[in-house]
Amino acid sequence: MATRNGIRQFKDEQDYREHFVIQGEIDKYLPGGKHFIDEDLINRTLAEADATPVDPVRIREIIAKSESTCETLEIAETAALMRVTDPALFEEMRAAADRIKKKVYDNRIVFFAPLYVANPCVNGCRYCGFREGNAQQKRRILTMDEVREEVEVLAGRIGHKRLIAVYGEHPKSSTDYIADSIEAIYKTACKAPKTGAPVGIRRVNVNAAPLPVDDLRVLKDVGIGTFQVFQETYNRKLYEQMHPAWSVKGNYDWRTTCFHRCMEAGVDDVGLGVLYGLCDWRFEVLATILHARDLERWFNIGPHTISFPRLEPASGTRVPEESPWLIDDETFRRILVVMRLSVPYTGMIVTARESPESRNRALDCGMTQLDCSSNIAIKGYSDFSDEAHQEKERQQFMLSDNRSIEEMVKYLADRGTITSFCTAGYRCGRTGGCIMDALKTGREGKFCKINAVLTFREWLDDFAKDPATIAAGEDLIKKELAGIEQWVPKFYPTVKKQYDATCAGARDLFF
Ligand code: SAM
Ligand code: SF4
């Protein structure tokens, strides 16, 4: 494994635990020792909202503000939205969430797949199958050859272009290894099964432990997409109960300041998330907004995405079944709607942890990205030909939505939603701050629509097997092209030229 300049090496797990966190990189972003997750403020805001009757006029004003400005709401406004239980008023909120999603991202859903690369872990998160000491879990750090084998299935057989690479926290699979594996993923060249066209992974997002600034710069250099770190819970006391003090992850401040360090390192697409089910969801929603606002305050850039993982059964733990804060499907849907209204510009990810019904319903609640044909067992894609295969001892938790990419594409096309495999934003520098304004004004959504059509065309030609999927896709593309012609008549000939070139076999064209 290459050792990159400036990256600290650790002699063993204990050395890593004791020295990995750099206190100065925490303090810099908590001036005066004051944390931006102000728990008293959150609790006061929730109590005030509870003491105030729901006023439909105010709720409609808040909805209108979100829709017209596309700016992050004040937490008191979000707290008011969270109080709405009247079905008719909630339906107004949901419809507005859907309109905002369409204004910012148009009628497309971006596809990605998880790739679990390494599962040894020095932490003891009580809800996670990977935690240290869980003897039921089989451990593995993929070699670079094995990484390539996984990518050959993901990019060469399924047709994914965007991955989220996932890692446990361990000195043997830390920054150098993460950088090596990102490079290996990008370099794996595949051929499409139907056309023989060159295909591969074009964007590698990462979900890993918080890193120091120098390490993040290394990941920036190898072309990381979004860096995701889920906070799990923002409630410090519950956080400490779930993450033992002896573990690196036990350091709440190191985790909460991670995205500030990302921005400092130039990794300006960051992905927030809470593990729903660990704490009162209303507290978590307000804390997420405080986090987003603090990033906006320091860097003028908010979260590129927010994910909505919910606790799922995992090997060797009962926390996912027994936590007192588990939420039902209806509450999950409310969270999505409230978050779409509260952080209107952000991408929203709902993973295959959710059931098919829950994900189908999320489509009308502001969701923008989903994974499919997912296998989260380590080496799962190349070891099992059956895409739905799951093995509790080889994966972090269990998935609920096992639908294949083909099923998902068809389902979306039938409802008039276009699947996007576009990764252009990252390749032409539309990240972080550059993309924020374009998103808020709806400009980015329109660009992306064109790229969605081109990449969808590629996928249909390169990978689609079922004639019914192809027919549904063709119908949708026709409608989309007509829509683009109406929207930008002068520009349309250029779009059509690119589209025709794609049909003739050109690949990776984008706007
Ligand atoms: N190990 C790194 C860390 O914790 O920061 C990387 C992320 S971990 C491999 C991916 C995420 O899975 C965690 O942040 C957590 O939110 C989620 N997760 C862990 N256990 C889970 C469970 N039982 N059900 C659903 N999601 C879970
Ligand atoms: Fe390790 Fe991440 Fe699992 Fe915690 S959530 S035990 S850090 S893999």
Side-chain angles (χ1 to χ4, degrees), residues 205-217:
N205 300 326
V206 168
N207 187 317
L211 296 172
V213 175
D214 283 344
D215 297 47
L216 289 160
R217 289 203 175 102

Side-chain angles (χ1 to χ4, degrees), residues 155-166:
R157 290 223 303 264
I158 302 174
H160 278 297
K161 295 212 167 6
R162 185 186 282 254
L163 296 185
I164 178 85
V166 187

Side-chain angles (χ1 to χ4, degrees), residues 359-479:
R359 288 221 291 185
N360 291 351
R361 294 178 83 202
L363 289 167
D364 288 333
C365 299
M367 171 174 52
T368 60
Q369 290 191 32
L370 56 78
D371 57 323
C372 51
S373 282
S374 299
N375 190 320
I376 60 169
I378 306 274
K379 191 88 178 2
Y381 294 104
S382 42
D383 278 2
F384 309 115
S385 50
D386 166 15
E387 285 179 11
H389 182 99
Q390 295 203 66
E391 223 177 290
K392 211 171 186 182
E393 289 68 38
R394 254 173 93 161
Q395 60 197 56
Q396 193 185 14
F397 50 81
M398 301 303 279
L399 295 182
S400 302
D401 189 351
N402 292 313
R403 279 177 292 180
S404 69
I405 197 163
E406 185 111 16
E407 281 174 276
M408 212 71 214
V409 165
K410 165 102 174 38
Y411 177 78
L412 292 182
D414 284 343
R415 71 191 291 288
T417 303
I418 188 161
T419 300
S420 177
F421 294 90
C422 173
T423 56
Y426 157 72
R427 282 187 283 162
C428 43
R430 292 208 296 274
T431 67
C434 306
I435 207 176
M436 286 287 146
D437 282 344
L439 284 172
K440 288 175 189 169
T441 56
R443 262 183 299 133
E444 183 67 12
K446 299 293 183 197
F447 263 117
C448 293
K449 155 85 100 197
I450 301 170
N451 290 328
V453 170
L454 296 180
T455 56
F456 188 44
R457 175 80 266 164
E458 289 181 4
W459 187 85
L460 285 177
D461 291 345
D462 289 341
F463 295 95
K465 296 184 199 114
D466 182 350
T469 311
I470 299 171
E474 298 282 359
D475 274 359
L476 184 60
I477 286 183
K478 253 187 235 146
K479 281 190 206 126

Side-chain angles (χ1 to χ4, degrees), residues 121 123 125 127-128 130-131 168 249 396:
C121 192
N123 295 314
C125 314
Y127 45 81
C128 178
F130 288 172
R131 77 194 174 286
K249 192 155 164 181
Q396 193 185 14

Side-chain angles (χ1 to χ4, degrees), residues 54-264:
V54 174
D55 173 4
V57 174
R58 174 150 189 256
I59 297 297
R60 290 185 187 114
E61 280 168 8
I62 298 169
I63 295 174
K65 176 183 168 190
S66 164
E67 226 174 327
S68 61
T69 65
C70 262
E71 301 287 350
T72 308
L73 294 179
E74 302 291 337
I75 59 168
E77 294 169 329
T78 300
L81 294 180
M82 289 195 295
R83 291 258 295 132
V84 173
T85 49
D86 171 59
L89 193 53
F90 178 75
E91 176 50 27
E92 286 183 42
M93 285 167 52
R94 191 212 56 76
D98 195 35
R99 283 196 301 276
I100 292 171
K101 186 257 162 178
K102 288 190 175 124
K103 174 181 163 192
V104 180
Y105 292 93
D106 218 291
N107 65 332
R108 69 198 162 87
I109 291 285
V110 170
F111 275 15
F112 70 95
L115 171 57
Y116 274 69
V117 194
N119 68 351
C121 192
V122 293
N123 295 314
C125 314
R126 289 186 45 221
Y127 45 81
C128 178
F130 288 172
R131 77 194 174 286
E132 186 183 76
N134 178 17
Q136 291 179 25
Q137 190 68 210
K138 295 178 188 154
R139 307 283 168 174
R140 189 156 180 178
I141 298 179
L142 294 185
T143 64
M144 293 307 132
D145 280 342
E146 289 172 332
V147 169
R148 282 186 275 276
E149 282 173 42
E150 292 286 90
V151 175
E152 275 157 17
V153 177
L154 283 160
R157 290 223 303 264
I158 302 174
H160 278 297
K161 295 212 167 6
R162 185 186 282 254
L163 296 185
I164 178 85
V166 187
Y167 307 78
E169 178 165 16
H170 196 278
K172 289 194 176 139
S173 56
S174 196
T175 307
D176 280 326
Y177 175 82
I178 296 175
D180 286 349
S181 51
I182 293 175
E183 285 183 325
I185 293 169
Y186 280 133
K187 281 185 188 151
T188 305
C190 311
K191 281 200 185 318
K194 283 170 68 187
T195 57
V199 290
I201 298 299
R202 309 286 184 235
R203 179 171 171 120
V204 184
N205 300 326
V206 168
N207 187 317
L211 296 172
V213 175
D214 283 344
D215 297 47
L216 289 160
R217 289 203 175 102
V218 168
L219 299 191
K220 165 88 182 158
D221 287 347
V222 295
I224 186 178
T226 307
F227 192 57
Q228 281 186 354
V229 174
F230 300 155
Q231 182 52 37
E232 322 303 11
T233 172
Y234 283 98
N235 180 304
R236 194 183 279 268
K237 206 162 140 224
L238 286 173
Y239 186 91
E240 285 166 6
Q241 282 171 16
M242 286 294 143
H243 308 100
W246 54 259
S247 66
V248 184
K249 192 155 164 181
N251 191 325
Y252 177 94
D253 293 340
W254 179 243
R255 200 162 181 92
T256 40
T257 51
C258 170
F259 295 135
H260 296 69
R261 293 191 294 280
C262 284
M263 298 285 177
E264 183 178 332

